[in-house]
Amino acid sequence: MSVRPLPTSTPSAEGVDAAGVHALLDALEAAPDIEPHSLMVLRHGKVVASGWWAPYTADRPHLLYSLSKSFTATAAAFAVAEGLLRLDDPVISYFPEFDADITDPRSRAMLVRHVTTMASGHEAETHDQALATDREEPVRGFLLLPPDRDPGTVFAYNQPTTYTLAAIVQRVTGQPMTDYLRPRLFDPLGIGEVAWLRDRTGRELGFSGLHATTDAIARLGQLYLRRGVWEGERLLPDEWVAEATRSHIVNDDGTWTDWAQGYGFQFWMSRHGYRGDGAYGQYCLVLPEQDVVVAITGATEDMQKVLDLVWSHLLPAFGAGPLSGRERDDAALAERTSRLALPPAAGKPAPPERAVAFTPNGGVCEALPKLTAVEVDAEGRRLALVEDGHRLELRFGEPGWTVTDGPVPAAVSGGWTDPDTLALDLALLETPHHVDLTCSLTDRTFTARWRTQPLHGSRVRAMHAPRDSV
């Protein structure tokens, strides 16, 4: 299907001071611990600023990590509206085959509402325990873990709660969530292709693993901002949106300010508005008071800092009405956002004159244990990563970023930092992740490390949106 572009406008026409957007861009680019990948700002339903830092582009899906949870909750909303699911049903009622196994009264009292609001009664994350208890059926593993307190009385950010909600949705609809959401959400909103990681049961994960574009994030935020209405058509019940975006459970853990404002139906409450978010800085910020949606993708371990920069620089830019005489400011911002780029790694092209194979320094690459060899061709323009018996071939050696569109879309920058050292930055373009790779001609060894640690395995060849084959 063809994707309908979102309507656009200039910042000043929608009461947005372009200087505030510039200030946010300046701050994101100046922060050494934040790598921005994309930014979209919608005001009054129109895109007033958008940009992607090369080598990231608007058309590529990006791993959303836990921002996936907000899409899972939206799937649950449709199932509730269609009478397939009820929030006040016991979770165990949707899994009658486990009924004899689940004997703990708190587990049996757990309602769909409780897993939707991260209030299962467990006081901490149970993901690893649930898998250790039953790897073949994580829902059963989760339900076999007795809650510490009565369901509904305590918050814990807990992946199996969302996984269980997703499992229920997929069970009652008889479909993967991507298929169920296609005619109900994705097509009506004009969202293009998406893909969701699955586990060994064949289920889409629900709590993580969705790959979608920044544009898709923005559209979901706009649907919730308009309280379930899209282009005049009601898609979600107003009551659902109201319940999903209010606090149901206190979650003040005494740490990050924007993670202590309460939790809704797979949405976080914020100091301003509410949001869906995912590891390493994937954001859907909804600001009803300002009539604004902000979509962000990136790579950072300091997620609070990104929000702090939005509150400090962008939030004050939203005025009450149009701003006159700002055409040059608007044009300057549009020009800037059209040429955003991440700085490439330093290095010079220096062909090794013959093909060279490098093996892990120390015998095994600890960060990427399946990576057994790195090969560079005689012209110094092609790189092959040999991982678990598979070869991933990438181009490099051009100025800036060299993009390879293949099974694992990637961009490589860097080069020879001295006659014996090849240092490369590998950006895995459908994820937040990079590999820093250094090869030594002296001893024919390499070292490699993840800049941010992937949460769904550490194989480079898995760093892409799910496809039929790789």
Side-chain angles (χ1 to χ4, degrees):
M1 68 167 260
S2 59
V3 177
R4 302 184 302 275
L6 289 166
T8 61
S9 185
T10 61
S12 61
E14 307 307 322
V16 181
D17 187 347
V21 185
H22 276 294
L24 176 60
L25 297 176
D26 288 342
L28 290 172
E29 293 182 334
D33 51 356
I34 297 174
E35 179 182 276
H37 294 170
S38 70
L39 172 70
M40 291 183 71
V41 181
L42 280 65
R43 184 97 197 270
H44 306 323
K46 299 174 182 177
V47 179
V48 297
S50 63
W52 285 259
W53 279 261
Y56 297 88
T57 56
D59 59 336
R60 287 197 191 277
H62 199 280
L63 174 57
L64 303 186
Y65 277 121
S66 284
L67 179 48
S68 308
K69 292 179 170 71
S70 300
F71 286 86
T72 295
T74 305
F78 288 111
V80 169
E82 293 169 13
L84 302 175
L85 172 63
R86 293 185 297 186
L87 292 177
D88 291 318
D89 282 347
V91 169
I92 190 62
S93 69
Y94 290 93
F95 302 95
E97 68 272 30
F98 306 149
D99 188 76
D101 300 334
I102 311 306
T103 58
D104 182 82
R106 286 173 170 164
S107 293
R108 297 187 66 85
M110 192 188 305
L111 307 179
V112 176
R113 180 181 303 278
H114 297 142
V115 295
T116 306
T117 56
M118 296 277 187
S120 64
H122 298 92
E123 294 180 334
E125 174 68 67
T126 64
H127 179 264
D128 292 347
Q129 288 177 276
L131 288 181
T133 302
D134 192 335
R135 183 165 291 275
E136 299 302 320
E137 179 43 91
V139 172
R140 179 177 177 275
F142 170 58
L143 292 176
L144 283 171
L145 301 175
D148 306 287
R149 292 164 60 180
D150 289 342
T153 63
V154 61
F155 173 88
Y157 195 65
N158 191 5
Q159 310 306 325
T161 60
T162 316
Y163 179 87
T164 298
L165 177 64
I168 293 172
V169 171
Q170 291 172 86
R171 174 165 286 202
V172 300
T173 64
Q175 294 179 284
M177 285 186 294
T178 48
D179 292 345
Y180 181 63
L181 287 173
R182 174 55 59 192
R184 295 164 176 81
L185 180 74
F186 299 144
D187 285 349
L189 266 58
I191 291 174
E193 291 303 310
V194 301
W196 216 317
L197 291 176
R198 300 186 183 208
D199 67 0
R200 63 177 63 198
T201 70
R203 297 187 188 115
E204 293 173 338
L205 292 182
F207 65 88
S208 185
L210 181 63
H211 293 69
T213 62
T214 316
D215 179 86
I217 300 171
R219 290 171 190 256
L220 180 74
Q222 187 64 29
L223 175 66
Y224 274 83
L225 179 66
R226 291 289 175 264
R227 297 185 68 89
V229 174
W230 186 267
E231 295 181 346
E233 179 185 357
R234 176 159 296 285
L235 301 182
L236 294 175
D238 180 74
E239 297 80 6
W240 174 274
V241 175
E243 288 295 293
T245 60
R246 73 171 180 86
S247 176
H248 287 259
I249 189 85
V250 174
N251 66 336
D252 185 356
D253 59 6
T255 55
W256 291 355
T257 303
D258 277 292
W259 277 260
Q261 305 296 318
Y263 197 76
F265 290 171
Q266 307 293 301
F267 283 94
W268 294 92
M269 305 304 105
S270 295
R271 284 179 288 168
H272 306 279
Y274 57 89
R275 71 188 192 281
D277 67 39
Y280 302 123
Q282 324 318 314
Y283 281 114
C284 177
L285 309 180
V286 182
L287 309 176
E289 289 187 15
Q290 291 77 23
D291 198 21
V292 163
V293 172
V294 182
I296 299 172
T297 63
T300 181
E301 293 185 346
D302 192 349
M303 292 179 62
Q304 179 64 63
K305 186 170 184 179
V306 175
L307 294 178
D308 290 343
L309 295 178
V310 171
W311 307 150
S312 297
H313 300 294
L314 187 59
L315 192 63
F318 302 124
L323 306 174
S324 60
R326 303 292 184 91
E327 291 79 11
R328 292 180 63 180
D329 294 341
D330 293 342
L333 178 61
E335 195 277 331
R336 179 178 182 180
T337 55
S338 71
R339 56 177 174 81
L340 296 172
L342 298 178
K348 298 178 180 179
E353 298 182 355
R354 59 189 175 87
V356 182
F358 302 88
T359 57
N361 189 352
V364 177
C365 180
E366 185 175 341
L368 295 92
K370 298 295 185 180
L371 184 60
T372 56
V374 174
E375 301 172 1
V376 178
D377 73 352
E379 296 180 353
R381 296 288 180 175
R382 290 192 174 275
L383 177 76
L385 305 182
V386 182
E387 186 181 53
D388 204 18
H390 299 267
R391 291 173 61 86
L392 175 63
E393 297 191 354
L394 305 172
R395 295 183 299 115
F396 77 103
E398 301 171 11
W401 293 94
T402 305
V403 175
T404 300
D405 281 308
V408 183
V412 181
S413 68
W416 297 88
T417 56
D418 63 49
D420 294 317
T421 306
L422 176 66
L424 300 175
D425 176 356
L426 282 61
L428 289 311
L429 296 176
E430 293 182 344
T431 79
H433 302 297
H434 291 245
V435 174
D436 291 319
L437 179 66
T438 304
C439 301
S440 170
L441 275 177
T442 303
D443 57 10
R444 300 293 197 272
T445 64
F446 74 85
T447 59
R449 69 175 184 89
W450 291 106
R451 198 171 300 168
T452 52
Q453 183 64 43
L455 304 181
H456 296 299
S458 59
R459 293 181 302 144
V460 173
R461 60 186 297 267
M463 295 294 113
H464 62 85
R467 299 182 181 89
D468 291 337
S469 62
V470 178

